[in-house]
Amino acid sequence: GAVVSQHPSWVICKSGTSVKIECRSLDFQATTMFWYRQFPKQSLMLMATSNEGSKATYEQGVEKDKFLINHASLTLSTLTVTSAHPEDSSFYICSARDRGANVLTFGAGSRLTVL
Amino acid sequence: KQEVTQIPAALSVPEGENLVLNCSFTDSAIYNLQWFRQDPGKGLTSLLLIQSSQREQTSGRLNASLDKSSGRSTLYIAASQPGDSATYLCAVQAGGAGNMLTFGGGTRLMVKP
């Protein structure tokens, strides 16, 4: 079945640094990828939708200059948290849509801790 | 804007009980509805997916129903086990394949031995 790989699965960084999270569709082409954020004991909230080759669409309240999303190929989308701060500590999950099917496949998530 | 609500937010039951988790959504124009399981600190595991034209889906001890007109879905877990302890999330997919999911707040389930 369709597999989405996220890397890294967890990362700890110092405040002020930038962190990049990768989301790869391993065996299918993903025309659309979604990025979610989950704070402790809360549900997932959609951050942005990225379509291959175009700019991402951000949800209200999500700073596009802080959360840079690149979807340069049909199998890879990246989320870069720029100048991370402790309040950015969260669980980030991506999902990808197989262009050949009506299925969304989720990655395992990436836990970011900013000290 | 679609809103998804899950009740109860938390549930603690003794092992062996049958239980029902509820999910309601405000916009009935959905493509499908999914139930996920999430263990602490982990990603999502898809449990059941119900297309908008379907009424229910079953997998093992799990049964999910969908009443699109009333905006409700239930997840029934039979003969609960301690290993069922997790957070259960309901999510609806907007009309049109591949659109984003809107998640409910989840139900944290604890099954005590």
Side-chain angles (χ1 to χ4, degrees), chain A residues 12-47:
Chain A
I12 301 173
C13 69
K14 293 182 178 180
S15 183
T17 60
S18 294
V19 176
K20 180 184 285 187
I21 301 171
E22 293 187 346
C23 179
R24 291 182 184 273
S25 56
L26 297 186
D27 50 4
F28 66 96
Q29 293 183 325
T31 52
T32 305
M33 288 188 174
F34 304 92
W35 287 95
Y36 296 84
R37 178 170 54 184
Q38 185 180 34
F39 292 109
K41 296 186 178 182
Q42 296 186 28
S43 189
L44 283 78
M45 296 297 294
L46 180 67
M47 298 176 66

PDB file of all heavy atoms in Angstrom, chain A residues 12-47:
ATOM      1  N   ILE A  12      15.379  17.910  18.420  1.00  0.00           N
ATOM      2  CA  ILE A  12      15.505  18.898  19.495  1.00  0.00           C
ATOM      3  C   ILE A  12      16.450  19.970  18.988  1.00  0.00           C
ATOM      4  O   ILE A  12      17.523  19.662  18.459  1.00  0.00           O
ATOM      5  CB  ILE A  12      16.058  18.260  20.777  1.00  0.00           C
ATOM      6  CG1 ILE A  12      15.129  17.128  21.258  1.00  0.00           C
ATOM      7  CG2 ILE A  12      16.211  19.311  21.874  1.00  0.00           C
ATOM      8  CD1 ILE A  12      15.680  16.335  22.427  1.00  0.00           C
ATOM      9  N   CYS A  13      16.045  21.213  19.132  1.00  0.00           N
ATOM     10  CA  CYS A  13      16.912  22.289  18.656  1.00  0.00           C
ATOM     11  C   CYS A  13      16.873  23.463  19.619  1.00  0.00           C
ATOM     12  O   CYS A  13      15.996  23.547  20.490  1.00  0.00           O
ATOM     13  CB  CYS A  13      16.481  22.744  17.262  1.00  0.00           C
ATOM     14  SG  CYS A  13      14.897  23.599  17.222  1.00  0.00           S
ATOM     15  N   LYS A  14      17.832  24.340  19.443  1.00  0.00           N
ATOM     16  CA  LYS A  14      17.880  25.543  20.269  1.00  0.00           C
ATOM     17  C   LYS A  14      16.992  26.623  19.667  1.00  0.00           C
ATOM     18  O   LYS A  14      16.787  26.685  18.444  1.00  0.00           O
ATOM     19  CB  LYS A  14      19.317  26.062  20.364  1.00  0.00           C
ATOM     20  CG  LYS A  14      20.253  25.143  21.132  1.00  0.00           C
ATOM     21  CD  LYS A  14      21.636  25.761  21.220  1.00  0.00           C
ATOM     22  CE  LYS A  14      22.586  24.878  22.017  1.00  0.00           C
ATOM     23  NZ  LYS A  14      23.943  25.489  22.109  1.00  0.00           N
ATOM     24  N   SER A  15      16.506  27.466  20.528  1.00  0.00           N
ATOM     25  CA  SER A  15      15.673  28.579  20.092  1.00  0.00           C
ATOM     26  C   SER A  15      16.447  29.441  19.101  1.00  0.00           C
ATOM     27  O   SER A  15      17.624  29.740  19.301  1.00  0.00           O
ATOM     28  CB  SER A  15      15.247  29.404  21.302  1.00  0.00           C
ATOM     29  OG  SER A  15      14.384  30.440  20.921  1.00  0.00           O
ATOM     30  N   GLY A  16      15.794  29.822  18.024  1.00  0.00           N
ATOM     31  CA  GLY A  16      16.411  30.675  17.021  1.00  0.00           C
ATOM     32  C   GLY A  16      16.930  29.940  15.802  1.00  0.00           C
ATOM     33  O   GLY A  16      17.216  30.553  14.770  1.00  0.00           O
ATOM     34  N   THR A  17      17.047  28.633  15.907  1.00  0.00           N
ATOM     35  CA  THR A  17      17.523  27.861  14.763  1.00  0.00           C
ATOM     36  C   THR A  17      16.351  27.468  13.872  1.00  0.00           C
ATOM     37  O   THR A  17      15.185  27.581  14.261  1.00  0.00           O
ATOM     38  CB  THR A  17      18.266  26.601  15.214  1.00  0.00           C
ATOM     39  OG1 THR A  17      17.376  25.789  15.992  1.00  0.00           O
ATOM     40  CG2 THR A  17      19.475  26.970  16.054  1.00  0.00           C
ATOM     41  N   SER A  18      16.676  27.017  12.670  1.00  0.00           N
ATOM     42  CA  SER A  18      15.654  26.565  11.722  1.00  0.00           C
ATOM     43  C   SER A  18      15.703  25.051  11.591  1.00  0.00           C
ATOM     44  O   SER A  18      16.772  24.447  11.647  1.00  0.00           O
ATOM     45  CB  SER A  18      15.862  27.221  10.355  1.00  0.00           C
ATOM     46  OG  SER A  18      15.650  28.612  10.442  1.00  0.00           O
ATOM     47  N   VAL A  19      14.560  24.463  11.428  1.00  0.00           N
ATOM     48  CA  VAL A  19      14.450  23.005  11.346  1.00  0.00           C
ATOM     49  C   VAL A  19      13.656  22.637  10.105  1.00  0.00           C
ATOM     50  O   VAL A  19      12.596  23.219   9.848  1.00  0.00           O
ATOM     51  CB  VAL A  19      13.735  22.439  12.590  1.00  0.00           C
ATOM     52  CG1 VAL A  19      13.528  20.941  12.456  1.00  0.00           C
ATOM     53  CG2 VAL A  19      14.529  22.770  13.847  1.00  0.00           C
ATOM     54  N   LYS A  20      14.164  21.672   9.365  1.00  0.00           N
ATOM     55  CA  LYS A  20      13.469  21.206   8.163  1.00  0.00           C
ATOM     56  C   LYS A  20      12.933  19.796   8.388  1.00  0.00           C
ATOM     57  O   LYS A  20      13.661  18.910   8.843  1.00  0.00           O
ATOM     58  CB  LYS A  20      14.402  21.203   6.964  1.00  0.00           C
ATOM     59  CG  LYS A  20      13.733  20.720   5.666  1.00  0.00           C
ATOM     60  CD  LYS A  20      14.692  20.639   4.509  1.00  0.00           C
ATOM     61  CE  LYS A  20      15.042  21.989   3.964  1.00  0.00           C
ATOM     62  NZ  LYS A  20      15.855  21.905   2.731  1.00  0.00           N
ATOM     63  N   ILE A  21      11.670  19.609   8.038  1.00  0.00           N
ATOM     64  CA  ILE A  21      11.033  18.296   8.120  1.00  0.00           C
ATOM     65  C   ILE A  21      10.652  17.863   6.711  1.00  0.00           C
ATOM     66  O   ILE A  21      10.066  18.639   5.954  1.00  0.00           O
ATOM     67  CB  ILE A  21       9.778  18.351   9.013  1.00  0.00           C
ATOM     68  CG1 ILE A  21      10.154  18.809  10.426  1.00  0.00           C
ATOM     69  CG2 ILE A  21       9.090  16.987   9.051  1.00  0.00           C
ATOM     70  CD1 ILE A  21       8.943  19.109  11.303  1.00  0.00           C
ATOM     71  N   GLU A  22      10.992  16.629   6.398  1.00  0.00           N
ATOM     72  CA  GLU A  22      10.705  16.123   5.054  1.00  0.00           C
ATOM     73  C   GLU A  22       9.542  15.141   5.072  1.00  0.00           C
ATOM     74  O   GLU A  22       9.395  14.351   6.005  1.00  0.00           O
ATOM     75  CB  GLU A  22      11.935  15.409   4.478  1.00  0.00           C
ATOM     76  CG  GLU A  22      13.105  16.306   4.204  1.00  0.00           C
ATOM     77  CD  GLU A  22      14.225  15.566   3.484  1.00  0.00           C
ATOM     78  OE1 GLU A  22      14.178  14.320   3.444  1.00  0.00           O
ATOM     79  OE2 GLU A  22      15.133  16.232   2.977  1.00  0.00           O
ATOM     80  N   CYS A  23       8.767  15.201   4.013  1.00  0.00           N
ATOM     81  CA  CYS A  23       7.648  14.278   3.838  1.00  0.00           C
ATOM     82  C   CYS A  23       7.766  13.680   2.446  1.00  0.00           C
ATOM     83  O   CYS A  23       7.718  14.412   1.452  1.00  0.00           O
ATOM     84  CB  CYS A  23       6.324  15.042   3.996  1.00  0.00           C
ATOM     85  SG  CYS A  23       4.835  14.046   3.780  1.00  0.00           S
ATOM     86  N   ARG A  24       7.954  12.382   2.381  1.00  0.00           N
ATOM     87  CA  ARG A  24       8.157  11.714   1.090  1.00  0.00           C
ATOM     88  C   ARG A  24       7.105  10.638   0.853  1.00  0.00           C
ATOM     89  O   ARG A  24       6.807   9.847   1.745  1.00  0.00           O
ATOM     90  CB  ARG A  24       9.524  11.028   1.048  1.00  0.00           C
ATOM     91  CG  ARG A  24      10.709  11.950   1.022  1.00  0.00           C
ATOM     92  CD  ARG A  24      12.022  11.180   0.943  1.00  0.00           C
ATOM     93  NE  ARG A  24      13.166  12.079   1.009  1.00  0.00           N
ATOM     94  CZ  ARG A  24      13.705  12.664  -0.030  1.00  0.00           C
ATOM     95  NH1 ARG A  24      13.208  12.435  -1.243  1.00  0.00           N
ATOM     96  NH2 ARG A  24      14.731  13.470   0.105  1.00  0.00           N
ATOM     97  N   SER A  25       6.560  10.633  -0.339  1.00  0.00           N
ATOM     98  CA  SER A  25       5.711   9.517  -0.747  1.00  0.00           C
ATOM     99  C   SER A  25       6.634   8.492  -1.409  1.00  0.00           C
ATOM    100  O   SER A  25       7.319   8.794  -2.372  1.00  0.00           O
ATOM    101  CB  SER A  25       4.623   9.991  -1.713  1.00  0.00           C
ATOM    102  OG  SER A  25       5.177  10.633  -2.839  1.00  0.00           O
ATOM    103  N   LEU A  26       6.663   7.290  -0.850  1.00  0.00           N
ATOM    104  CA  LEU A  26       7.673   6.324  -1.263  1.00  0.00           C
ATOM    105  C   LEU A  26       7.310   5.547  -2.521  1.00  0.00           C
ATOM    106  O   LEU A  26       8.184   5.149  -3.288  1.00  0.00           O
ATOM    107  CB  LEU A  26       7.955   5.343  -0.123  1.00  0.00           C
ATOM    108  CG  LEU A  26       8.537   5.975   1.155  1.00  0.00           C
ATOM    109  CD1 LEU A  26       8.905   4.886   2.164  1.00  0.00           C
ATOM    110  CD2 LEU A  26       9.729   6.853   0.844  1.00  0.00           C
ATOM    111  N   ASP A  27       6.050   5.306  -2.729  1.00  0.00           N
ATOM    112  CA  ASP A  27       5.684   4.455  -3.865  1.00  0.00           C
ATOM    113  C   ASP A  27       4.528   5.011  -4.669  1.00  0.00           C
ATOM    114  O   ASP A  27       3.836   4.273  -5.376  1.00  0.00           O
ATOM    115  CB  ASP A  27       5.352   3.043  -3.365  1.00  0.00           C
ATOM    116  CG  ASP A  27       4.373   3.063  -2.215  1.00  0.00           C
ATOM    117  OD1 ASP A  27       3.887   4.166  -1.848  1.00  0.00           O
ATOM    118  OD2 ASP A  27       4.080   1.988  -1.668  1.00  0.00           O
ATOM    119  N   PHE A  28       4.322   6.314  -4.562  1.00  0.00           N
ATOM    120  CA  PHE A  28       3.295   6.930  -5.390  1.00  0.00           C
ATOM    121  C   PHE A  28       3.622   8.400  -5.583  1.00  0.00           C
ATOM    122  O   PHE A  28       4.454   8.969  -4.876  1.00  0.00           O
ATOM    123  CB  PHE A  28       1.905   6.768  -4.757  1.00  0.00           C
ATOM    124  CG  PHE A  28       1.711   7.504  -3.452  1.00  0.00           C
ATOM    125  CD1 PHE A  28       1.118   8.753  -3.415  1.00  0.00           C
ATOM    126  CD2 PHE A  28       2.110   6.929  -2.251  1.00  0.00           C
ATOM    127  CE1 PHE A  28       0.927   9.423  -2.209  1.00  0.00           C
ATOM    128  CE2 PHE A  28       1.924   7.589  -1.043  1.00  0.00           C
ATOM    129  CZ  PHE A  28       1.337   8.840  -1.026  1.00  0.00           C
ATOM    130  N   GLN A  29       2.968   8.984  -6.538  1.00  0.00           N
ATOM    131  CA  GLN A  29       3.165  10.403  -6.809  1.00  0.00           C
ATOM    132  C   GLN A  29       2.075  11.205  -6.100  1.00  0.00           C
ATOM    133  O   GLN A  29       0.889  10.924  -6.251  1.00  0.00           O
ATOM    134  CB  GLN A  29       3.112  10.663  -8.316  1.00  0.00           C
ATOM    135  CG  GLN A  29       4.284  10.047  -9.064  1.00  0.00           C
ATOM    136  CD  GLN A  29       4.243  10.370 -10.552  1.00  0.00           C
ATOM    137  OE1 GLN A  29       3.184  10.453 -11.153  1.00  0.00           O
ATOM    138  NE2 GLN A  29       5.411  10.569 -11.129  1.00  0.00           N
ATOM    139  N   ALA A  30       2.520  12.166  -5.329  1.00  0.00           N
ATOM    140  CA  ALA A  30       1.602  12.954  -4.512  1.00  0.00           C
ATOM    141  C   ALA A  30       1.469  14.360  -5.085  1.00  0.00           C
ATOM    142  O   ALA A  30       2.384  15.172  -4.975  1.00  0.00           O
ATOM    143  CB  ALA A  30       2.093  13.016  -3.074  1.00  0.00           C
ATOM    144  N   THR A  31       0.338  14.623  -5.700  1.00  0.00           N
ATOM    145  CA  THR A  31       0.135  15.956  -6.257  1.00  0.00           C
ATOM    146  C   THR A  31      -0.176  16.974  -5.160  1.00  0.00           C
ATOM    147  O   THR A  31       0.081  18.161  -5.314  1.00  0.00           O
ATOM    148  CB  THR A  31      -1.017  15.941  -7.265  1.00  0.00           C
ATOM    149  OG1 THR A  31      -2.161  15.330  -6.644  1.00  0.00           O
ATOM    150  CG2 THR A  31      -0.644  15.157  -8.502  1.00  0.00           C
ATOM    151  N   THR A  32      -0.740  16.498  -4.073  1.00  0.00           N
ATOM    152  CA  THR A  32      -1.097  17.381  -2.973  1.00  0.00           C
ATOM    153  C   THR A  32      -0.613  16.794  -1.657  1.00  0.00           C
ATOM    154  O   THR A  32      -0.766  15.594  -1.422  1.00  0.00           O
ATOM    155  CB  THR A  32      -2.622  17.583  -2.892  1.00  0.00           C
ATOM    156  OG1 THR A  32      -3.102  18.053  -4.153  1.00  0.00           O
ATOM    157  CG2 THR A  32      -2.985  18.588  -1.807  1.00  0.00           C
ATOM    158  N   MET A  33      -0.022  17.648  -0.844  1.00  0.00           N
ATOM    159  CA  MET A  33       0.382  17.231   0.500  1.00  0.00           C
ATOM    160  C   MET A  33      -0.165  18.228   1.507  1.00  0.00           C
ATOM    161  O   MET A  33      -0.273  19.424   1.220  1.00  0.00           O
ATOM    162  CB  MET A  33       1.906  17.143   0.612  1.00  0.00           C
ATOM    163  CG  MET A  33       2.498  15.957  -0.140  1.00  0.00           C
ATOM    164  SD  MET A  33       4.261  15.756   0.195  1.00  0.00           S
ATOM    165  CE  MET A  33       4.607  14.224  -0.651  1.00  0.00           C
ATOM    166  N   PHE A  34      -0.528  17.711   2.651  1.00  0.00           N
ATOM    167  CA  PHE A  34      -1.082  18.540   3.714  1.00  0.00           C
ATOM    168  C   PHE A  34      -0.165  18.460   4.928  1.00  0.00           C
ATOM    169  O   PHE A  34       0.342  17.389   5.256  1.00  0.00           O
ATOM    170  CB  PHE A  34      -2.476  18.041   4.108  1.00  0.00           C
ATOM    171  CG  PHE A  34      -3.451  17.980   2.959  1.00  0.00           C
ATOM    172  CD1 PHE A  34      -3.604  16.818   2.232  1.00  0.00           C
ATOM    173  CD2 PHE A  34      -4.214  19.085   2.625  1.00  0.00           C
ATOM    174  CE1 PHE A  34      -4.500  16.754   1.179  1.00  0.00           C
ATOM    175  CE2 PHE A  34      -5.115  19.025   1.571  1.00  0.00           C
ATOM    176  CZ  PHE A  34      -5.254  17.864   0.845  1.00  0.00           C
ATOM    177  N   TRP A  35      -0.009  19.576   5.605  1.00  0.00           N
ATOM    178  CA  TRP A  35       0.778  19.623   6.843  1.00  0.00           C
ATOM    179  C   TRP A  35      -0.140  19.973   8.010  1.00  0.00           C
ATOM    180  O   TRP A  35      -0.901  20.947   7.949  1.00  0.00           O
ATOM    181  CB  TRP A  35       1.901  20.648   6.726  1.00  0.00           C
ATOM    182  CG  TRP A  35       3.008  20.185   5.835  1.00  0.00           C
ATOM    183  CD1 TRP A  35       3.168  20.449   4.505  1.00  0.00           C
ATOM    184  CD2 TRP A  35       4.119  19.371   6.210  1.00  0.00           C
ATOM    185  NE1 TRP A  35       4.307  19.851   4.033  1.00  0.00           N
ATOM    186  CE2 TRP A  35       4.909  19.168   5.060  1.00  0.00           C
ATOM    187  CE3 TRP A  35       4.530  18.779   7.411  1.00  0.00           C
ATOM    188  CZ2 TRP A  35       6.092  18.416   5.075  1.00  0.00           C
ATOM    189  CZ3 TRP A  35       5.692  18.033   7.424  1.00  0.00           C
ATOM    190  CH2 TRP A  35       6.458  17.859   6.264  1.00  0.00           C
ATOM    191  N   TYR A  36      -0.038  19.152   9.069  1.00  0.00           N
ATOM    192  CA  TYR A  36      -0.831  19.348  10.266  1.00  0.00           C
ATOM    193  C   TYR A  36       0.103  19.573  11.457  1.00  0.00           C
ATOM    194  O   TYR A  36       1.234  19.106  11.482  1.00  0.00           O
ATOM    195  CB  TYR A  36      -1.704  18.121  10.557  1.00  0.00           C
ATOM    196  CG  TYR A  36      -2.748  17.819   9.516  1.00  0.00           C
ATOM    197  CD1 TYR A  36      -2.429  17.083   8.379  1.00  0.00           C
ATOM    198  CD2 TYR A  36      -4.058  18.259   9.668  1.00  0.00           C
ATOM    199  CE1 TYR A  36      -3.395  16.802   7.418  1.00  0.00           C
ATOM    200  CE2 TYR A  36      -5.026  17.977   8.717  1.00  0.00           C
ATOM    201  CZ  TYR A  36      -4.693  17.248   7.595  1.00  0.00           C
ATOM    202  OH  TYR A  36      -5.641  16.969   6.644  1.00  0.00           O
ATOM    203  N   ARG A  37      -0.447  20.227  12.458  1.00  0.00           N
ATOM    204  CA  ARG A  37       0.288  20.437  13.709  1.00  0.00           C
ATOM    205  C   ARG A  37      -0.604  19.962  14.845  1.00  0.00           C
ATOM    206  O   ARG A  37      -1.826  20.159  14.812  1.00  0.00           O
ATOM    207  CB  ARG A  37       0.631  21.920  13.868  1.00  0.00           C
ATOM    208  CG  ARG A  37       1.359  22.276  15.151  1.00  0.00           C
ATOM    209  CD  ARG A  37       1.876  23.705  15.108  1.00  0.00           C
ATOM    210  NE  ARG A  37       0.840  24.671  14.801  1.00  0.00           N
ATOM    211  CZ  ARG A  37       1.065  25.962  14.633  1.00  0.00           C
ATOM    212  NH1 ARG A  37       2.290  26.446  14.730  1.00  0.00           N
ATOM    213  NH2 ARG A  37       0.082  26.791  14.358  1.00  0.00           N
ATOM    214  N   GLN A  38       0.011  19.342  15.819  1.00  0.00           N
ATOM    215  CA  GLN A  38      -0.744  18.850  16.958  1.00  0.00           C
ATOM    216  C   GLN A  38      -0.022  19.228  18.240  1.00  0.00           C
ATOM    217  O   GLN A  38       1.080  18.738  18.511  1.00  0.00           O
ATOM    218  CB  GLN A  38      -0.924  17.332  16.872  1.00  0.00           C
ATOM    219  CG  GLN A  38      -1.804  16.762  17.971  1.00  0.00           C
ATOM    220  CD  GLN A  38      -1.952  15.274  17.855  1.00  0.00           C
ATOM    221  OE1 GLN A  38      -1.031  14.583  17.445  1.00  0.00           O
ATOM    222  NE2 GLN A  38      -3.122  14.758  18.207  1.00  0.00           N
ATOM    223  N   PHE A  39      -0.669  20.062  19.042  1.00  0.00           N
ATOM    224  CA  PHE A  39      -0.135  20.400  20.359  1.00  0.00           C
ATOM    225  C   PHE A  39      -0.587  19.339  21.354  1.00  0.00           C
ATOM    226  O   PHE A  39      -1.574  18.638  21.113  1.00  0.00           O
ATOM    227  CB  PHE A  39      -0.594  21.793  20.779  1.00  0.00           C
ATOM    228  CG  PHE A  39       0.011  22.893  19.946  1.00  0.00           C
ATOM    229  CD1 PHE A  39      -0.757  23.605  19.047  1.00  0.00           C
ATOM    230  CD2 PHE A  39       1.356  23.197  20.045  1.00  0.00           C
ATOM    231  CE1 PHE A  39      -0.199  24.605  18.260  1.00  0.00           C
ATOM    232  CE2 PHE A  39       1.921  24.186  19.268  1.00  0.00           C
ATOM    233  CZ  PHE A  39       1.136  24.890  18.370  1.00  0.00           C
ATOM    234  N   PRO A  40       0.145  19.222  22.486  1.00  0.00           N
ATOM    235  CA  PRO A  40      -0.182  18.167  23.449  1.00  0.00           C
ATOM    236  C   PRO A  40      -1.649  18.159  23.850  1.00  0.00           C
ATOM    237  O   PRO A  40      -2.234  19.212  24.128  1.00  0.00           O
ATOM    238  CB  PRO A  40       0.729  18.508  24.635  1.00  0.00           C
ATOM    239  CG  PRO A  40       1.890  19.203  24.015  1.00  0.00           C
ATOM    240  CD  PRO A  40       1.321  20.004  22.889  1.00  0.00           C
ATOM    241  N   LYS A  41      -2.228  17.006  23.811  1.00  0.00           N
ATOM    242  CA  LYS A  41      -3.609  16.767  24.236  1.00  0.00           C
ATOM    243  C   LYS A  41      -4.623  17.515  23.375  1.00  0.00           C
ATOM    244  O   LYS A  41      -5.752  17.736  23.805  1.00  0.00           O
ATOM    245  CB  LYS A  41      -3.790  17.125  25.712  1.00  0.00           C
ATOM    246  CG  LYS A  41      -2.959  16.257  26.644  1.00  0.00           C
ATOM    247  CD  LYS A  41      -3.265  16.545  28.093  1.00  0.00           C
ATOM    248  CE  LYS A  41      -2.441  15.617  28.994  1.00  0.00           C
ATOM    249  NZ  LYS A  41      -2.744  15.848  30.421  1.00  0.00           N
ATOM    250  N   GLN A  42      -4.215  17.914  22.200  1.00  0.00           N
ATOM    251  CA  GLN A  42      -5.139  18.544  21.272  1.00  0.00           C
ATOM    252  C   GLN A  42      -5.188  17.758  19.968  1.00  0.00           C
ATOM    253  O   GLN A  42      -4.358  16.896  19.724  1.00  0.00           O
ATOM    254  CB  GLN A  42      -4.712  19.991  20.997  1.00  0.00           C
ATOM    255  CG  GLN A  42      -4.765  20.894  22.220  1.00  0.00           C
ATOM    256  CD  GLN A  42      -4.472  22.334  21.875  1.00  0.00           C
ATOM    257  OE1 GLN A  42      -4.719  22.786  20.765  1.00  0.00           O
ATOM    258  NE2 GLN A  42      -3.949  23.064  22.832  1.00  0.00           N
ATOM    259  N   SER A  43      -6.195  18.061  19.177  1.00  0.00           N
ATOM    260  CA  SER A  43      -6.316  17.348  17.913  1.00  0.00           C
ATOM    261  C   SER A  43      -5.419  17.975  16.848  1.00  0.00           C
ATOM    262  O   SER A  43      -4.765  18.974  17.089  1.00  0.00           O
ATOM    263  CB  SER A  43      -7.768  17.368  17.459  1.00  0.00           C
ATOM    264  OG  SER A  43      -7.942  16.504  16.354  1.00  0.00           O
ATOM    265  N   LEU A  44      -5.418  17.361  15.695  1.00  0.00           N
ATOM    266  CA  LEU A  44      -4.607  17.883  14.598  1.00  0.00           C
ATOM    267  C   LEU A  44      -5.280  19.106  13.985  1.00  0.00           C
ATOM    268  O   LEU A  44      -6.490  19.142  13.810  1.00  0.00           O
ATOM    269  CB  LEU A  44      -4.442  16.828  13.506  1.00  0.00           C
ATOM    270  CG  LEU A  44      -3.454  15.700  13.766  1.00  0.00           C
ATOM    271  CD1 LEU A  44      -4.045  14.662  14.679  1.00  0.00           C
ATOM    272  CD2 LEU A  44      -3.013  15.073  12.464  1.00  0.00           C
ATOM    273  N   MET A  45      -4.449  20.075  13.652  1.00  0.00           N
ATOM    274  CA  MET A  45      -4.945  21.272  12.987  1.00  0.00           C
ATOM    275  C   MET A  45      -4.205  21.438  11.673  1.00  0.00           C
ATOM    276  O   MET A  45      -2.974  21.373  11.638  1.00  0.00           O
ATOM    277  CB  MET A  45      -4.739  22.508  13.870  1.00  0.00           C
ATOM    278  CG  MET A  45      -5.516  22.479  15.166  1.00  0.00           C
ATOM    279  SD  MET A  45      -7.304  22.448  14.916  1.00  0.00           S
ATOM    280  CE  MET A  45      -7.558  24.059  14.194  1.00  0.00           C
ATOM    281  N   LEU A  46      -4.945  21.646  10.613  1.00  0.00           N
ATOM    282  CA  LEU A  46      -4.328  21.838   9.313  1.00  0.00           C
ATOM    283  C   LEU A  46      -3.562  23.147   9.295  1.00  0.00           C
ATOM    284  O   LEU A  46      -4.081  24.191   9.696  1.00  0.00           O
ATOM    285  CB  LEU A  46      -5.393  21.840   8.221  1.00  0.00           C
ATOM    286  CG  LEU A  46      -4.899  22.031   6.792  1.00  0.00           C
ATOM    287  CD1 LEU A  46      -4.070  20.827   6.349  1.00  0.00           C
ATOM    288  CD2 LEU A  46      -6.067  22.245   5.853  1.00  0.00           C
ATOM    289  N   MET A  47      -2.309  23.079   8.831  1.00  0.00           N
ATOM    290  CA  MET A  47      -1.501  24.282   8.712  1.00  0.00           C
ATOM    291  C   MET A  47      -1.548  24.828   7.287  1.00  0.00           C
ATOM    292  O   MET A  47      -1.720  26.014   7.063  1.00  0.00           O
ATOM    293  CB  MET A  47      -0.045  23.984   9.069  1.00  0.00           C
ATOM    294  CG  MET A  47       0.188  23.526  10.478  1.00  0.00           C
ATOM    295  SD  MET A  47       1.910  23.095  10.735  1.00  0.00           S
ATOM    296  CE  MET A  47       2.692  24.675  10.535  1.00  0.00           C
TER     297      MET A  47
END
